[in-house]
């Protein structure tokens, strides 16, 4: 599954660490009363990777990365840092951003930028 790989990659990324500590990067949802700014990652689903030779050990999965912050500027900076951390393409992970959506959570009084990604990677 892609979420453990993303957590590891984002927690090690200098551009993300410059804005938030690794403990502010959460799997699944933003916990109640979590310190912000923060990132949360949500598994969305997967698609089989098939070619003429059939399935191989590659995977294609989708995940949503949410940047949460008290101000839109902070949420945008965090979203940009997460995007930069996922940009390098390598044999271990290819990330393609499908979209970016904004919302404001009135109850939490937080800005939220939602990044929708597709990832292609190989199973270990």
């Amino acid at each position: 599954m892609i979420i453990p790989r993303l957590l590891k990659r984002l927690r090690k990324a200098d551009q993300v660490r410059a804005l938030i500590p690794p403990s502010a990067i959460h799997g699944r949802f933003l916990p109640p009363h979590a310190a912000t700014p923060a990132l949360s990652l949500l598994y969305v689903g997967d698609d089989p990777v098939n070619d003429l030779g059939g399935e191989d050990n590659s995977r294609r999965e989708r995940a949503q990365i949410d940047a949460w912050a008290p101000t839109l500027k902070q949420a945008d900076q965090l979203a940009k840092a997460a995007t930069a951390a996922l940009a390098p393409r390598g044999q271990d992970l290819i990330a393609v951003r499908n979209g970016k959506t904004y919302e404001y959570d009135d109850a939490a009084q937080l800005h939220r930028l939602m990044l929708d990604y597709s990832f292609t990677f190989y199973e270990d």
Side-chain angles (χ1 to χ4, degrees):
M1 180 182 271
I2 192 64
I3 297 299
R5 288 176 187 243
L6 296 179
L7 287 169
K8 184 177 179 180
R9 192 165 181 155
L10 290 169
R11 287 176 176 156
K12 287 184 173 185
D14 291 336
Q15 56 271 57
V16 174
R17 292 173 65 101
L19 299 173
I20 59 173
S23 61
I25 303 171
H26 308 279
R28 289 196 56 151
F29 303 103
L30 187 69
H33 311 293
T36 57
L39 289 173
S40 63
L41 288 72
L42 179 64
Y43 178 78
V44 175
D46 68 347
D47 298 310
V49 178
N50 290 310
D51 62 18
L52 294 176
E55 287 191 47
D56 61 12
N57 66 340
S58 63
R59 305 273 303 156
R60 188 177 315 132
E61 296 183 357
R62 286 187 51 223
Q64 179 176 305
I65 301 169
D66 296 337
W68 300 86
T71 69
L72 180 56
K73 181 178 180 179
Q74 288 174 311
D76 188 52
Q77 288 173 331
L78 192 51
K80 286 179 181 175
T83 298
L86 298 173
R89 289 177 176 238
Q91 292 186 355
D92 66 325
L93 179 73
I94 297 172
V96 177
R97 196 180 89 187
N98 303 319
K100 180 178 173 181
T101 308
Y102 166 80
E103 74 176 23
Y104 182 76
D105 186 322
D106 287 321
Q109 296 185 346
L110 291 173
H111 295 269
R112 178 184 185 192
L113 285 173
M114 298 167 281
L115 306 173
D116 178 19
Y117 270 93
S118 293
F119 299 95
T120 303
F121 60 99
Y122 287 89
E123 294 279 22
D124 292 332

